[in-house]
Amino acid sequence: MGIRNLAYCHLVLPPSWLHPQEEPKTKTPTPPPPITPTLNKWSRINVSSPSNPNPPLNPTTTTLLHTKESFTPTTYAPHAHTFLTTHILPHNPTHILIERQRFRSMGGSAVQEWTLRVNMFEAMLYAVLHTWAAEGKWGGEVVPVLPSKVGRYWRLGDVGDEDGMKKVGKKGNEGAEKSKAVKMGIVREMVRSGLGVVLEGQAEEIGALVMGKAEGKKKKKADKGQGLGKFDDLADCLLQGLAWVKWEENKRLVWERGKEALDLLKENEKGKKNSG
């Protein structure tokens, strides 16, 4: 999540995932068949820049502000409301995942002003959603997601502590850049292979841009012309959503079929990776 680069995506799961049917218990626990989410919206929002009188046809970026950039609460409050009503609630989501924000950057002792702005916007999103839920306007659930836990799930190496902080210094910066590269590589492979997620509608356009960049068009001018923008933010939001889906599947599996079924599922996945 960010102010100038707020990425979001919409994942659709089959009804059987939300309302699973109870299956007869057997002596030998068996894992359920894998569920592949459908991605039909994948975009990035600029919450702070003034609108362009002649905006390019860019499927990944939308501008919300139409005035001079401002960071006051009175400015951010309506933008939090507009973002949710325009881009999130029309999908009628059952769960809204919001990336937890840190208070310090790269483990430094100082709290940067930009970090405070992002935290303020994060709090406003929670406040708007809680108000709607209390008034009966929305019946979903808000779920905070820690980037550090997502990083461990995707095995990104040094992903920092529970607050997502890293050590200060050259090695910490190099680790962050390497982590970004790995995340983008994982998502590119998903798009290329069609495994792990199915792209539909607007998300297919983004997938085409992703593959175009992966096929050697890496110059900055070419990237800007394609309109992909900061792909690492798009990769982040997708990987967070997919990780949460898997966590929920694992919790349900343990609850319904016992820990043995989860262990069997892990063995099957490990065998597939080794055979591949």
Side-chain angles (χ1 to χ4, degrees), residues 8 25 43 61 90 97 103-104 114 131-132 140 142 156-157 164 168 170 211 228 234 241 253 257 262:
Y8 71 96
K25 294 184 178 180
S43 189
T61 306
L97 278 57
F103 289 96
R104 291 180 174 86
W114 189 256
T131 301
W132 285 339
V142 182
L156 299 179
V168 179
K170 184 177 180 180
M211 293 314 301
L228 187 58
L234 293 170
L253 182 60
R257 310 189 187 192
L262 180 60

PDB file of all heavy atoms in Angstrom, residues 8 25 43 61 90 97 103-104 114 131-132 140 142 156-157 164 168 170 211 228 234 241 253 257 262:
ATOM      1  N   TYR A   8      -4.000  -2.674  -6.007  1.00  0.00           N
ATOM      2  CA  TYR A   8      -5.058  -3.533  -5.497  1.00  0.00           C
ATOM      3  C   TYR A   8      -5.470  -4.525  -6.570  1.00  0.00           C
ATOM      4  O   TYR A   8      -5.241  -4.312  -7.762  1.00  0.00           O
ATOM      5  CB  TYR A   8      -6.276  -2.710  -5.047  1.00  0.00           C
ATOM      6  CG  TYR A   8      -7.062  -2.087  -6.172  1.00  0.00           C
ATOM      7  CD1 TYR A   8      -8.198  -2.713  -6.680  1.00  0.00           C
ATOM      8  CD2 TYR A   8      -6.669  -0.872  -6.737  1.00  0.00           C
ATOM      9  CE1 TYR A   8      -8.922  -2.142  -7.720  1.00  0.00           C
ATOM     10  CE2 TYR A   8      -7.380  -0.295  -7.775  1.00  0.00           C
ATOM     11  CZ  TYR A   8      -8.510  -0.938  -8.258  1.00  0.00           C
ATOM     12  OH  TYR A   8      -9.213  -0.376  -9.293  1.00  0.00           O
ATOM     13  N   LYS A  25     -16.129 -38.361   6.784  1.00  0.00           N
ATOM     14  CA  LYS A  25     -14.775 -38.578   7.270  1.00  0.00           C
ATOM     15  C   LYS A  25     -14.322 -39.997   6.954  1.00  0.00           C
ATOM     16  O   LYS A  25     -15.085 -40.953   7.054  1.00  0.00           O
ATOM     17  CB  LYS A  25     -14.715 -38.313   8.767  1.00  0.00           C
ATOM     18  CG  LYS A  25     -14.955 -36.864   9.142  1.00  0.00           C
ATOM     19  CD  LYS A  25     -14.779 -36.639  10.623  1.00  0.00           C
ATOM     20  CE  LYS A  25     -14.983 -35.172  10.973  1.00  0.00           C
ATOM     21  NZ  LYS A  25     -14.817 -34.923  12.419  1.00  0.00           N
ATOM     22  N   SER A  43      -4.859  -3.395 -10.551  1.00  0.00           N
ATOM     23  CA  SER A  43      -4.614  -2.004 -10.907  1.00  0.00           C
ATOM     24  C   SER A  43      -3.790  -1.299  -9.840  1.00  0.00           C
ATOM     25  O   SER A  43      -3.512  -1.852  -8.770  1.00  0.00           O
ATOM     26  CB  SER A  43      -5.938  -1.269 -11.104  1.00  0.00           C
ATOM     27  OG  SER A  43      -5.732   0.018 -11.640  1.00  0.00           O
ATOM     28  N   THR A  61      -3.224   2.472 -13.972  1.00  0.00           N
ATOM     29  CA  THR A  61      -3.151   3.644 -13.105  1.00  0.00           C
ATOM     30  C   THR A  61      -4.403   4.486 -13.219  1.00  0.00           C
ATOM     31  O   THR A  61      -4.874   4.765 -14.305  1.00  0.00           O
ATOM     32  CB  THR A  61      -1.921   4.517 -13.464  1.00  0.00           C
ATOM     33  OG1 THR A  61      -0.762   3.693 -13.423  1.00  0.00           O
ATOM     34  CG2 THR A  61      -1.771   5.661 -12.485  1.00  0.00           C
ATOM     35  N   PRO A  90     -17.796  -1.848  -5.341  1.00  0.00           N
ATOM     36  CA  PRO A  90     -18.579  -2.353  -6.485  1.00  0.00           C
ATOM     37  C   PRO A  90     -18.390  -3.844  -6.745  1.00  0.00           C
ATOM     38  O   PRO A  90     -19.256  -4.477  -7.344  1.00  0.00           O
ATOM     39  CB  PRO A  90     -18.061  -1.510  -7.655  1.00  0.00           C
ATOM     40  CG  PRO A  90     -17.641  -0.228  -7.032  1.00  0.00           C
ATOM     41  CD  PRO A  90     -17.046  -0.622  -5.713  1.00  0.00           C
ATOM     42  N   LEU A  97      -8.474  -7.301   2.179  1.00  0.00           N
ATOM     43  CA  LEU A  97      -7.158  -7.430   2.787  1.00  0.00           C
ATOM     44  C   LEU A  97      -6.412  -6.102   2.651  1.00  0.00           C
ATOM     45  O   LEU A  97      -6.356  -5.523   1.560  1.00  0.00           O
ATOM     46  CB  LEU A  97      -6.354  -8.531   2.104  1.00  0.00           C
ATOM     47  CG  LEU A  97      -6.612  -9.975   2.528  1.00  0.00           C
ATOM     48  CD1 LEU A  97      -8.066 -10.370   2.349  1.00  0.00           C
ATOM     49  CD2 LEU A  97      -5.710 -10.930   1.757  1.00  0.00           C
ATOM     50  N   PHE A 103       6.059   1.719  10.903  1.00  0.00           N
ATOM     51  CA  PHE A 103       6.263   3.079  11.398  1.00  0.00           C
ATOM     52  C   PHE A 103       7.670   3.589  11.097  1.00  0.00           C
ATOM     53  O   PHE A 103       7.915   4.781  11.165  1.00  0.00           O
ATOM     54  CB  PHE A 103       6.009   3.142  12.902  1.00  0.00           C
ATOM     55  CG  PHE A 103       4.554   2.998  13.257  1.00  0.00           C
ATOM     56  CD1 PHE A 103       4.034   1.768  13.606  1.00  0.00           C
ATOM     57  CD2 PHE A 103       3.709   4.089  13.203  1.00  0.00           C
ATOM     58  CE1 PHE A 103       2.690   1.633  13.917  1.00  0.00           C
ATOM     59  CE2 PHE A 103       2.367   3.967  13.515  1.00  0.00           C
ATOM     60  CZ  PHE A 103       1.854   2.728  13.874  1.00  0.00           C
ATOM     61  N   ARG A 104       8.573   2.686  10.781  1.00  0.00           N
ATOM     62  CA  ARG A 104       9.937   3.089  10.458  1.00  0.00           C
ATOM     63  C   ARG A 104      10.352   2.431   9.157  1.00  0.00           C
ATOM     64  O   ARG A 104       9.897   1.327   8.845  1.00  0.00           O
ATOM     65  CB  ARG A 104      10.912   2.716  11.582  1.00  0.00           C
ATOM     66  CG  ARG A 104      10.691   3.527  12.842  1.00  0.00           C
ATOM     67  CD  ARG A 104      11.681   3.113  13.934  1.00  0.00           C
ATOM     68  NE  ARG A 104      11.564   3.989  15.094  1.00  0.00           N
ATOM     69  CZ  ARG A 104      10.695   3.817  16.075  1.00  0.00           C
ATOM     70  NH1 ARG A 104       9.870   2.780  16.034  1.00  0.00           N
ATOM     71  NH2 ARG A 104      10.652   4.644  17.090  1.00  0.00           N
ATOM     72  N   TRP A 114       6.603  10.707   5.326  1.00  0.00           N
ATOM     73  CA  TRP A 114       5.855   9.960   4.330  1.00  0.00           C
ATOM     74  C   TRP A 114       5.234   8.699   4.937  1.00  0.00           C
ATOM     75  O   TRP A 114       4.132   8.304   4.578  1.00  0.00           O
ATOM     76  CB  TRP A 114       6.784   9.580   3.172  1.00  0.00           C
ATOM     77  CG  TRP A 114       6.024   9.010   2.016  1.00  0.00           C
ATOM     78  CD1 TRP A 114       5.928   7.695   1.650  1.00  0.00           C
ATOM     79  CD2 TRP A 114       5.222   9.735   1.083  1.00  0.00           C
ATOM     80  NE1 TRP A 114       5.131   7.563   0.546  1.00  0.00           N
ATOM     81  CE2 TRP A 114       4.676   8.800   0.178  1.00  0.00           C
ATOM     82  CE3 TRP A 114       4.910  11.092   0.927  1.00  0.00           C
ATOM     83  CZ2 TRP A 114       3.848   9.166  -0.878  1.00  0.00           C
ATOM     84  CZ3 TRP A 114       4.081  11.457  -0.117  1.00  0.00           C
ATOM     85  CH2 TRP A 114       3.566  10.514  -0.997  1.00  0.00           C
ATOM     86  N   THR A 131     -17.264   1.828   9.712  1.00  0.00           N
ATOM     87  CA  THR A 131     -18.508   2.610   9.758  1.00  0.00           C
ATOM     88  C   THR A 131     -19.578   1.966   8.884  1.00  0.00           C
ATOM     89  O   THR A 131     -20.736   1.824   9.300  1.00  0.00           O
ATOM     90  CB  THR A 131     -18.248   4.047   9.294  1.00  0.00           C
ATOM     91  OG1 THR A 131     -17.262   4.652  10.153  1.00  0.00           O
ATOM     92  CG2 THR A 131     -19.528   4.875   9.350  1.00  0.00           C
ATOM     93  N   TRP A 132     -19.197   1.565   7.690  1.00  0.00           N
ATOM     94  CA  TRP A 132     -20.166   0.915   6.803  1.00  0.00           C
ATOM     95  C   TRP A 132     -20.673  -0.397   7.388  1.00  0.00           C
ATOM     96  O   TRP A 132     -21.852  -0.718   7.287  1.00  0.00           O
ATOM     97  CB  TRP A 132     -19.540   0.668   5.436  1.00  0.00           C
ATOM     98  CG  TRP A 132     -19.426   1.909   4.618  1.00  0.00           C
ATOM     99  CD1 TRP A 132     -20.139   3.066   4.769  1.00  0.00           C
ATOM    100  CD2 TRP A 132     -18.549   2.130   3.514  1.00  0.00           C
ATOM    101  NE1 TRP A 132     -19.757   3.994   3.835  1.00  0.00           N
ATOM    102  CE2 TRP A 132     -18.789   3.448   3.047  1.00  0.00           C
ATOM    103  CE3 TRP A 132     -17.587   1.367   2.881  1.00  0.00           C
ATOM    104  CZ2 TRP A 132     -18.105   3.991   1.979  1.00  0.00           C
ATOM    105  CZ3 TRP A 132     -16.900   1.900   1.809  1.00  0.00           C
ATOM    106  CH2 TRP A 132     -17.156   3.201   1.357  1.00  0.00           C
ATOM    107  N   GLY A 140     -18.909  -7.476   4.938  1.00  0.00           N
ATOM    108  CA  GLY A 140     -17.679  -8.253   4.785  1.00  0.00           C
ATOM    109  C   GLY A 140     -16.767  -8.151   5.984  1.00  0.00           C
ATOM    110  O   GLY A 140     -17.130  -7.627   7.040  1.00  0.00           O
ATOM    111  N   VAL A 142     -12.649  -7.182   7.235  1.00  0.00           N
ATOM    112  CA  VAL A 142     -11.369  -6.551   6.930  1.00  0.00           C
ATOM    113  C   VAL A 142     -10.261  -7.376   7.577  1.00  0.00           C
ATOM    114  O   VAL A 142     -10.333  -7.699   8.762  1.00  0.00           O
ATOM    115  CB  VAL A 142     -11.314  -5.106   7.443  1.00  0.00           C
ATOM    116  CG1 VAL A 142      -9.980  -4.464   7.066  1.00  0.00           C
ATOM    117  CG2 VAL A 142     -12.468  -4.294   6.869  1.00  0.00           C
ATOM    118  N   LEU A 156      10.924 -15.678   0.475  1.00  0.00           N
ATOM    119  CA  LEU A 156      11.672 -14.566  -0.130  1.00  0.00           C
ATOM    120  C   LEU A 156      12.962 -14.263   0.596  1.00  0.00           C
ATOM    121  O   LEU A 156      13.610 -13.262   0.335  1.00  0.00           O
ATOM    122  CB  LEU A 156      10.793 -13.309  -0.157  1.00  0.00           C
ATOM    123  CG  LEU A 156       9.511 -13.427  -0.972  1.00  0.00           C
ATOM    124  CD1 LEU A 156       8.728 -12.137  -0.895  1.00  0.00           C
ATOM    125  CD2 LEU A 156       9.803 -13.789  -2.420  1.00  0.00           C
ATOM    126  N   GLY A 157      13.331 -15.102   1.556  1.00  0.00           N
ATOM    127  CA  GLY A 157      14.582 -14.868   2.260  1.00  0.00           C
ATOM    128  C   GLY A 157      14.415 -13.856   3.375  1.00  0.00           C
ATOM    129  O   GLY A 157      13.487 -13.921   4.167  1.00  0.00           O
ATOM    130  N   GLY A 164       7.927  -5.549   9.314  1.00  0.00           N
ATOM    131  CA  GLY A 164       8.383  -5.408   7.939  1.00  0.00           C
ATOM    132  C   GLY A 164       9.638  -4.565   7.814  1.00  0.00           C
ATOM    133  O   GLY A 164       9.982  -4.090   6.742  1.00  0.00           O
ATOM    134  N   VAL A 168      19.517  -1.383   8.579  1.00  0.00           N
ATOM    135  CA  VAL A 168      20.026  -0.248   7.826  1.00  0.00           C
ATOM    136  C   VAL A 168      21.368  -0.617   7.219  1.00  0.00           C
ATOM    137  O   VAL A 168      22.174  -1.312   7.825  1.00  0.00           O
ATOM    138  CB  VAL A 168      20.203   0.973   8.750  1.00  0.00           C
ATOM    139  CG1 VAL A 168      20.767   2.161   7.978  1.00  0.00           C
ATOM    140  CG2 VAL A 168      18.868   1.334   9.373  1.00  0.00           C
ATOM    141  N   LYS A 170      23.891  -1.139   3.373  1.00  0.00           N
ATOM    142  CA  LYS A 170      23.914  -1.603   1.994  1.00  0.00           C
ATOM    143  C   LYS A 170      23.309  -2.985   1.850  1.00  0.00           C
ATOM    144  O   LYS A 170      22.556  -3.265   0.938  1.00  0.00           O
ATOM    145  CB  LYS A 170      25.359  -1.594   1.482  1.00  0.00           C
ATOM    146  CG  LYS A 170      25.490  -1.965   0.013  1.00  0.00           C
ATOM    147  CD  LYS A 170      26.926  -1.856  -0.440  1.00  0.00           C
ATOM    148  CE  LYS A 170      27.056  -2.223  -1.911  1.00  0.00           C
ATOM    149  NZ  LYS A 170      28.461  -2.128  -2.355  1.00  0.00           N
ATOM    150  N   MET A 211       4.050  -9.817 -19.423  1.00  0.00           N
ATOM    151  CA  MET A 211       4.809 -10.706 -20.280  1.00  0.00           C
ATOM    152  C   MET A 211       5.605  -9.940 -21.318  1.00  0.00           C
ATOM    153  O   MET A 211       6.696 -10.346 -21.702  1.00  0.00           O
ATOM    154  CB  MET A 211       3.872 -11.704 -20.964  1.00  0.00           C
ATOM    155  CG  MET A 211       3.230 -12.685 -20.002  1.00  0.00           C
ATOM    156  SD  MET A 211       4.406 -13.403 -18.830  1.00  0.00           S
ATOM    157  CE  MET A 211       5.576 -14.188 -19.949  1.00  0.00           C
ATOM    158  N   LEU A 228       2.972  -0.044 -17.679  1.00  0.00           N
ATOM    159  CA  LEU A 228       2.964  -0.998 -16.572  1.00  0.00           C
ATOM    160  C   LEU A 228       3.269  -0.333 -15.245  1.00  0.00           C
ATOM    161  O   LEU A 228       2.737  -0.708 -14.214  1.00  0.00           O
ATOM    162  CB  LEU A 228       3.966  -2.119 -16.850  1.00  0.00           C
ATOM    163  CG  LEU A 228       3.962  -3.286 -15.859  1.00  0.00           C
ATOM    164  CD1 LEU A 228       2.583  -3.920 -15.798  1.00  0.00           C
ATOM    165  CD2 LEU A 228       5.002  -4.324 -16.270  1.00  0.00           C
ATOM    166  N   LEU A 234       2.183  -4.082  -7.968  1.00  0.00           N
ATOM    167  CA  LEU A 234       1.149  -4.980  -8.473  1.00  0.00           C
ATOM    168  C   LEU A 234       1.430  -6.421  -8.045  1.00  0.00           C
ATOM    169  O   LEU A 234       0.519  -7.165  -7.677  1.00  0.00           O
ATOM    170  CB  LEU A 234       1.066  -4.887  -9.992  1.00  0.00           C
ATOM    171  CG  LEU A 234       0.576  -3.556 -10.570  1.00  0.00           C
ATOM    172  CD1 LEU A 234       0.790  -3.523 -12.078  1.00  0.00           C
ATOM    173  CD2 LEU A 234      -0.880  -3.319 -10.235  1.00  0.00           C
ATOM    174  N   GLY A 241      -2.742 -11.523  -1.627  1.00  0.00           N
ATOM    175  CA  GLY A 241      -4.058 -12.125  -1.734  1.00  0.00           C
ATOM    176  C   GLY A 241      -3.988 -13.631  -1.880  1.00  0.00           C
ATOM    177  O   GLY A 241      -4.730 -14.370  -1.214  1.00  0.00           O
ATOM    178  N   LEU A 253      -8.585 -26.960   6.236  1.00  0.00           N
ATOM    179  CA  LEU A 253      -8.194 -28.354   6.065  1.00  0.00           C
ATOM    180  C   LEU A 253      -7.890 -29.005   7.414  1.00  0.00           C
ATOM    181  O   LEU A 253      -8.312 -30.139   7.682  1.00  0.00           O
ATOM    182  CB  LEU A 253      -6.970 -28.440   5.146  1.00  0.00           C
ATOM    183  CG  LEU A 253      -6.440 -29.834   4.823  1.00  0.00           C
ATOM    184  CD1 LEU A 253      -7.508 -30.657   4.125  1.00  0.00           C
ATOM    185  CD2 LEU A 253      -5.186 -29.736   3.969  1.00  0.00           C
ATOM    186  N   ARG A 257     -10.269 -31.991   8.493  1.00  0.00           N
ATOM    187  CA  ARG A 257      -9.711 -33.322   8.229  1.00  0.00           C
ATOM    188  C   ARG A 257      -8.503 -33.659   9.089  1.00  0.00           C
ATOM    189  O   ARG A 257      -7.915 -34.732   8.948  1.00  0.00           O
ATOM    190  CB  ARG A 257      -9.332 -33.433   6.751  1.00  0.00           C
ATOM    191  CG  ARG A 257     -10.451 -33.011   5.809  1.00  0.00           C
ATOM    192  CD  ARG A 257     -10.139 -33.327   4.382  1.00  0.00           C
ATOM    193  NE  ARG A 257     -11.142 -32.765   3.483  1.00  0.00           N
ATOM    194  CZ  ARG A 257     -11.245 -33.069   2.202  1.00  0.00           C
ATOM    195  NH1 ARG A 257     -10.423 -33.921   1.660  1.00  0.00           N
ATOM    196  NH2 ARG A 257     -12.191 -32.512   1.457  1.00  0.00           N
ATOM    197  N   LEU A 262      -3.123 -31.976   6.192  1.00  0.00           N
ATOM    198  CA  LEU A 262      -2.254 -30.854   5.830  1.00  0.00           C
ATOM    199  C   LEU A 262      -0.841 -31.349   5.560  1.00  0.00           C
ATOM    200  O   LEU A 262      -0.192 -30.915   4.608  1.00  0.00           O
ATOM    201  CB  LEU A 262      -2.253 -29.805   6.938  1.00  0.00           C
ATOM    202  CG  LEU A 262      -1.379 -28.572   6.701  1.00  0.00           C
ATOM    203  CD1 LEU A 262      -1.819 -27.832   5.447  1.00  0.00           C
ATOM    204  CD2 LEU A 262      -1.432 -27.635   7.911  1.00  0.00           C
TER     205      LEU A 262
END
